[in-house]
Amino acid sequence: MSRRAQSGVRPTHWLGLIAILAFVGGGGFFLMNRTTDPMTGITELSPGEFMENATALSGNEYKIEGVVDDRLDNWRSAEGRLFSLQVSDSSGNNFIPVWVPPDYKGANIQRRQRYIFKVLVLETGVLKVLELVKA
């Protein structure tokens, strides 16, 4: 007696196909949604060192991450905007002023939001914002 050929797709084939599609889809999602730090290679500013002697750091560029606490209102808008940035480190919370020049065309800064700033320490010890990214 001869055997008949098996017709149709077996359930194990369906499971293998679903597993392959899930693997490919997950890998594509990972590659499309991976985030990288746009400020890689920039030295992180130590809040303690900045508070101790800010003018010694003048002329250098640093990266600093923190939460915008508030805008300091005694600063004229025509000269830029001055914000208080809350930075946390091993010694606790520090509030550091950052100055956004009037010609800066980057992201809109909002209170209580976390940002990563690329700053330049001016001769006066003020941190001038060069770039910023919402963290």
Side-chain angles (χ1 to χ4, degrees):
M1 178 183 316
S2 63
R3 294 183 165 191
R4 284 197 277 167
Q6 189 98 16
S7 62
V9 180
R10 294 183 178 167
T12 55
H13 292 143
W14 282 112
L15 289 175
L17 181 63
I18 290 171
I20 290 171
L21 290 176
F23 180 73
V24 170
F29 179 80
F30 173 74
L31 288 175
M32 297 300 287
N33 292 314
R34 65 181 173 174
T35 57
T36 59
D37 185 2
M39 297 182 198
T40 302
I42 300 173
T43 305
E44 185 118 6
L45 178 68
S46 167
E49 189 176 334
F50 174 77
M51 298 298 266
E52 186 177 311
N53 193 1
T55 55
L57 304 174
S58 66
N60 296 321
E61 292 181 1
Y62 294 97
K63 173 175 74 168
I64 187 166
E65 182 175 350
V67 176
V68 173
D69 181 53
D70 205 359
R71 180 176 173 188
L72 303 175
D73 292 329
N74 294 336
W75 194 269
R76 293 179 35 200
S77 293
E79 296 173 356
R81 296 173 294 162
L82 190 65
F83 291 94
S84 173
L85 184 67
Q86 182 180 2
V87 180
S88 300
D89 65 353
S90 60
S91 64
N93 289 335
N94 293 303
F95 290 90
I96 296 177
V98 292
W99 174 59
V100 180
D103 59 344
Y104 183 75
K105 303 290 184 215
N108 192 17
I109 300 174
Q110 299 175 353
R111 291 183 339 171
R112 307 287 182 239
Q113 298 295 316
R114 179 171 289 280
Y115 294 94
I116 301 172
F117 294 91
K118 178 181 178 183
V119 295
L120 171 68
V121 182
L122 301 177
E123 291 178 5
T124 58
V126 174
L127 298 177
K128 177 183 176 183
V129 174
L130 301 175
E131 293 180 41
L132 68 96
V133 177
K134 191 169 182 179

